[in-house]
Amino acid sequence: MRRDVWIRFSGESESLVRDAAATINEVQDSWLLHVDAQFPPNEVPTVPDEPHSLALKVGETTTNRPLIYVTHDSFSDKWFSHEFRDVSVISSFGVSRLDTGFSLVAYLMYQMAQSLLSFSIAKSEQDLFYLSHDPPVGCLFDLCAYKPDIRLGMAAGGLCSKCYDALRSSGVTEGQLQDLTRILNVVARTRTYAGEQSLLSNAWKPDM
């Protein structure tokens, strides 16, 4: 049985969000994503914002259902996303300026996959931080302190074996792990070119 997950958004991101959600729905059977109405202008959470506060604001708009919130604005800590037990927040700020070789839709699918994983076992990013890779190895759990490194995980098409086994031991079902891999495989196949290969990207700035 598929688990329902709602997505809300602000700014000019509706078409990107709908494309990402539709593709995820097509390739797996564990989760069913519903793109909810855009936040009314007077209700849009203020960003840049501290991610925990933002998640609380977004969470007030829903009751007992997992929710993903997508914004084009930057978070105060400049991270790509933050995952909590039933709410996640994703920022697309600056992503198009990173030399990754992937589209914004692929980026949103990649971040949504991480949200779905957290929702499946009701664990936050802090609970799963022990899985983080720094330096990156080409996995969904790469820390990506150097932001263009996200391309390595997006190109990998799956989890590393260490994270796969650890998540299975944490309660993620084999079916969910296989469906997560299907999403990541689709992301990997959308790559249009290799992206930045040097240690420093001319497209990346520390404040992105």
Side-chain angles (χ1 to χ4, degrees):
M1 183 176 181
R2 302 176 93 177
R3 184 176 185 188
D4 293 312
V5 176
W6 273 258
I7 305 173
R8 300 197 78 182
F9 57 91
S10 66
E12 303 300 320
S13 55
E14 180 173 2
S15 63
L16 298 173
V17 170
R18 291 192 182 280
D19 287 349
T23 303
I24 288 176
N25 285 339
E26 288 174 4
V27 301
Q28 52 75 44
D29 297 314
S30 293
W31 306 279
L32 183 60
L33 276 58
H34 306 271
V35 180
D36 207 349
Q38 183 178 16
F39 274 105
N42 62 332
E43 294 182 18
V44 174
T46 302
V47 288
D49 205 339
E50 192 277 324
H52 289 79
S53 298
L54 178 61
L56 288 173
K57 292 177 184 178
V58 173
E60 291 171 356
T61 69
T62 186
T63 304
N64 297 324
R65 62 183 193 183
L67 176 68
I68 298 171
Y69 172 59
V70 179
T71 176
H72 276 312
D73 293 311
S74 174
F75 299 142
S76 58
D77 59 9
K78 312 302 181 185
W79 280 42
F80 291 120
S81 67
H82 288 278
E83 291 76 39
F84 304 92
R85 295 188 177 189
D86 56 2
V87 176
S88 73
V89 290
I90 299 172
S91 169
S92 61
F93 179 82
V95 174
S96 61
R97 289 181 280 162
L98 300 180
D99 191 10
T100 65
F102 290 93
S103 69
L104 275 173
V105 171
Y107 164 79
L108 289 176
M109 290 178 60
Y110 188 71
Q111 297 299 332
M112 288 176 184
Q114 195 156 22
S115 300
L116 297 175
L117 185 57
S118 291
F119 297 159
S120 296
I121 50 177
K123 290 187 179 295
S124 70
E125 62 188 8
Q126 291 181 324
D127 297 326
L128 299 175
F129 190 77
Y130 72 98
L131 296 175
S132 298
H133 305 288
D134 188 21
V137 299
C139 177
L140 184 64
F141 285 93
D142 286 349
L143 189 60
C144 298
Y146 174 63
K147 297 185 79 170
D149 282 342
I150 192 174
R151 73 186 187 280
L152 302 176
M154 293 177 73
L159 297 164
C160 73
S161 58
K162 169 194 166 186
C163 289
Y164 194 102
D165 292 342
L167 289 166
R168 183 167 49 193
S169 298
S170 296
V172 184
T173 68
E174 186 65 29
Q176 289 169 335
L177 286 168
Q178 290 178 4
D179 278 342
L180 183 74
T181 301
R182 292 186 181 98
I183 297 170
L184 297 178
N185 275 330
V186 171
V187 170
R189 293 199 301 270
T190 68
R191 184 170 65 167
T192 56
Y193 64 97
E196 175 64 47
Q197 296 298 315
S198 64
L199 291 177
L200 292 175
S201 167
N202 291 331
W204 180 81
K205 303 296 180 186
D207 61 347
M208 288 173 59

